[in-house]
């Protein structure tokens, strides 16, 4: 058998039927891989996109968000509603409730799972928003216009609060930190965003720790009792990799698959992609764990190229994400640290403004609120490592690309 024949007959098994897993399967076919490809998903639903869950699906404007992909025509096998419980890399086998599944190449694309609020297991009326089923359970809650308490003022908390206000619900958001998006943005950048909640008619309570949740109420550490027809928890997510414990596949500090700059895991014939894997960024000089849609779209191309024997460039994207909240379109590209120089573009009390982060004069990150051109130009400037004039950068009337030195 020739090497080419051997390569084409390898069975690629992808664990995870979200964006990263599905796009890996599609990328393999687009690049001419002719061997068997199987996608295993824990949920019974046709593979679907997640961003619409907190918007159109939640508000009943769409029934679902299934990917518009003809898996059968592409020769991609789907095994849905199947839980994978373990992997034995030495045997090239997965363990599932229905029995072992052999693979030649394994792609780990299991995504992330929500962090649950301790003590809320089994308490009625407590929700998370991660899956299509979660959205289906929350739709009637919004339709009934219950009083809702959202725990966590991060990206998902803000998006859910936006949808709940649009549905006519009374919304209180409680956040343990002193500001929204405390884990993502510095205080001076997040501070203007606190006012967005009040502008939309939602109540934001910061420095508010949840003591416990009981049916119909959230009790805070200071004794405040907040009535709650429903509680939605959005306090973050962690890589869905508990099933890899003991497999010999190296996991990082956050439980993520530790991948190299070609998204290869620590054992042969295994890759990690999307929310469940970190990768070393030469651009930023550190390992990145990116829990965003664009990473799940980009990474599969690198993996597919590796599997078919191409020699792709190292995977080192400029991270990108967006969020729609309280009537604003928020976009972020890049990666910043507290030591980077922060430059404002525009008035943060207005509807449109941006923030740039410079490192040794070069643009490394940009946050754009209602300024999509800043984001588009900034992303290209980050990719090229371009140095900017700080004075011109701070002038919102000057196109960002014109600030290049």
């Amino acid at each position: 058998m020739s090497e080419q024949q051997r390569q084409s007959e390898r069975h690629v098994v992808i664990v995870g039927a979200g964006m990263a897993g599905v796009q890996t399967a599609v990328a393999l076919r687009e690049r001419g891989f002719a061997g068997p490809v199987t996608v295993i998903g824990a949920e019974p639903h046709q593979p679907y996109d997640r961003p619409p869950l907190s918007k159109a699906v939640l508000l009943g404007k769409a029934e679902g968000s299934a990917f518009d992909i003809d898996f059968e025509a592409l020769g991609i096998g789907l095994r849905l509603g199947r839980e994978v419980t373990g992997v034995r890399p030495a045997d090239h086998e997965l363990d599932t409730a229905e029995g072992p599944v052999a693979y030649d190449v394994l792609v780990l694309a299991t995504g992330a799972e929500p962090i649950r609020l301790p003590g809320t297991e089994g308490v009625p009326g407590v929700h998370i928003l991660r899956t299509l089923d979660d959205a289906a359970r929350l739709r009637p809650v919004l339709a009934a216009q219950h009083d809702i308490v959202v725990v966590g003022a991060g990206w998902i908390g803000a998006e859910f609060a936006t949808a709940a206000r649009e549905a006519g619900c009374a919304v209180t958001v409680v956040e343990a930190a002193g500001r929204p998006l405390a884990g993502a943005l510095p205080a001076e950048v997040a501070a203007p965003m606190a006012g967005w909640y009040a502008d939309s008619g939602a109540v934001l309570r910061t420095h508010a720790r949840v003591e416990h949740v009981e049916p119909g109420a959230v009790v805070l550490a200071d004794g405040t009792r907040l009535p709650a027809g429903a509680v939605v928890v959005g306090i973050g997510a962690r890589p869905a990799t508990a099933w890899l414990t003991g497999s010999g596949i190296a996991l990082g500090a956050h439980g993520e698959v530790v991948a190299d700059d070609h998204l290869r895991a620590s054992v042969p014939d295994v890759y990690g992609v999307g929310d469940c894997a970190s990768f070393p960024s030469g651009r930023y000089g550190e390992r990145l764990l990116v829990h965003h849609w664009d990473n799940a779209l980009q990474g599969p191309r690198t993996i597919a190229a590796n599997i078919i024997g191409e020699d792709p460039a190292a995977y080192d994207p400029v991270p990108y994400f967006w969020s729609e909240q309280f009537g604003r379109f928020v976009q972020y590209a890049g990666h910043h640290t507290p030591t980077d120089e922060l430059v404002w573009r525009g008035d943060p009390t207005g509807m449109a403004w941006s923030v740039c982060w410079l490192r040794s004069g070069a643009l490394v990150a940009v946050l754009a609120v209602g300024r999509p051109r800043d984001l588009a130009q900034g992303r290209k400037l980050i990719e090229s490592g371009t140095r900017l004039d700080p004075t011109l950068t701070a002038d919102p009337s000057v196109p960002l690309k014109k600030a290049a030195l």
Side-chain angles (χ1 to χ4, degrees), residues 178-221:
R179 61 185 187 275
L181 295 167
L185 298 172
E188 60 193 295
V189 178
M193 298 175 169
W196 298 357
Y197 289 77
D199 291 346
S200 77
V203 176
L204 173 65
R205 298 182 66 125
T206 56
H207 300 291
R209 292 194 172 275
V210 175
E211 179 65 32
H212 68 270
V213 178
E214 57 192 48
V218 173
V219 180
L220 303 181

Side-chain angles (χ1 to χ4, degrees), residues 99-183:
V101 176
Y103 67 84
D104 295 303
V105 179
L106 175 64
V107 180
L108 304 172
T110 46
E113 57 193 4
I115 297 171
R116 299 186 181 259
L117 192 63
T120 60
E121 295 80 3
V123 178
V126 177
H127 300 263
I128 54 176
L129 179 54
R130 185 73 185 180
T131 69
L132 191 59
D133 289 340
D134 294 334
R137 281 188 286 266
L138 276 163
R139 272 166 69 165
V141 173
L142 266 59
Q145 299 188 331
H146 285 292
D147 289 355
I148 293 176
V149 173
V150 180
V151 182
W155 300 112
I156 192 67
E159 289 188 4
F160 179 81
T162 300
R165 285 299 300 138
E166 189 175 329
C169 301
V171 179
T172 301
V173 181
V174 296
E175 169 57 52
R179 61 185 187 275
L181 295 167

Side-chain angles (χ1 to χ4, degrees), residues 329-354:
F329 188 47
V330 184
Q331 295 173 283
Y332 177 93
H335 175 71
H336 71 270
T337 66
T339 57
D340 296 327
E341 179 188 358
L342 191 153
V343 180
W344 287 93
R345 281 173 63 79
D347 179 4
T349 63
M351 288 295 288
W353 49 275
S354 298

Side-chain angles (χ1 to χ4, degrees), residues 35-330:
V37 176
T38 302
V39 176
I40 303 177
E43 295 180 56
H45 310 289
Q46 274 292 110
Y48 61 88
D49 203 6
R50 291 189 190 278
L53 296 184
S54 61
K55 306 172 185 74
V57 175
L58 190 60
L59 290 168
K61 297 176 181 177
E63 282 307 307
S65 55
F67 292 117
D68 185 18
I69 296 168
D70 190 335
F71 293 97
E72 189 175 352
L74 289 171
I76 296 169
L78 296 180
R79 297 190 188 181
L80 304 175
R82 177 173 289 202
E83 189 101 17
V84 178
T85 56
V87 58
R88 290 169 282 112
D91 300 328
H92 278 59
E93 277 193 341
L94 292 167
D95 293 317
T96 77
E98 291 83 4
V101 176
Y103 67 84
D104 295 303
V105 179
L106 175 64
V107 180
L108 304 172
T110 46
E113 57 193 4
I115 297 171
R116 299 186 181 259
L117 192 63
T120 60
E121 295 80 3
V123 178
V126 177
H127 300 263
I128 54 176
L129 179 54
R130 185 73 185 180
T131 69
L132 191 59
D133 289 340
D134 294 334
R137 281 188 286 266
L138 276 163
R139 272 166 69 165
V141 173
L142 266 59
Q145 299 188 331
H146 285 292
D147 289 355
I148 293 176
V149 173
V150 180
V151 182
W155 300 112
I156 192 67
E159 289 188 4
F160 179 81
T162 300
R165 285 299 300 138
E166 189 175 329
C169 301
V171 179
T172 301
V173 181
V174 296
E175 169 57 52
R179 61 185 187 275
L181 295 167
L185 298 172
E188 60 193 295
V189 178
M193 298 175 169
W196 298 357
Y197 289 77
D199 291 346
S200 77
V203 176
L204 173 65
R205 298 182 66 125
T206 56
H207 300 291
R209 292 194 172 275
V210 175
E211 179 65 32
H212 68 270
V213 178
E214 57 192 48
V218 173
V219 180
L220 303 181
D222 65 3
T224 303
R225 194 171 182 277
L226 302 173
V231 178
V232 177
V233 178
I235 55 175
R238 60 168 66 94
T241 55
W243 65 281
L244 294 172
T245 303
S247 67
I249 295 171
L251 301 179
H254 302 282
E256 84 281 9
V257 175
V258 176
D260 69 6
D261 60 0
H262 285 71
L263 300 181
R264 294 175 293 225
S266 63
V267 300
D269 302 319
V270 179
Y271 295 84
V273 66
D275 290 6
C276 73
S278 64
F279 57 90
S281 170
R283 187 190 313 278
Y284 292 106
E286 62 181 287
R287 181 167 285 276
L288 299 182
L289 176 59
V290 180
H291 279 196
H292 293 299
W293 186 90
D294 191 64
N295 180 47
L297 183 67
Q298 304 278 357
R301 299 169 192 163
T302 294
I303 290 180
N306 274 286
I307 289 173
I308 67 170
E310 292 180 4
D311 187 21
Y315 184 65
D316 197 8
V318 173
Y320 166 75
F321 72 92
W322 80 96
S323 176
E324 295 177 71
Q325 49 185 271
F326 308 118
R328 292 165 173 86
F329 188 47
V330 184

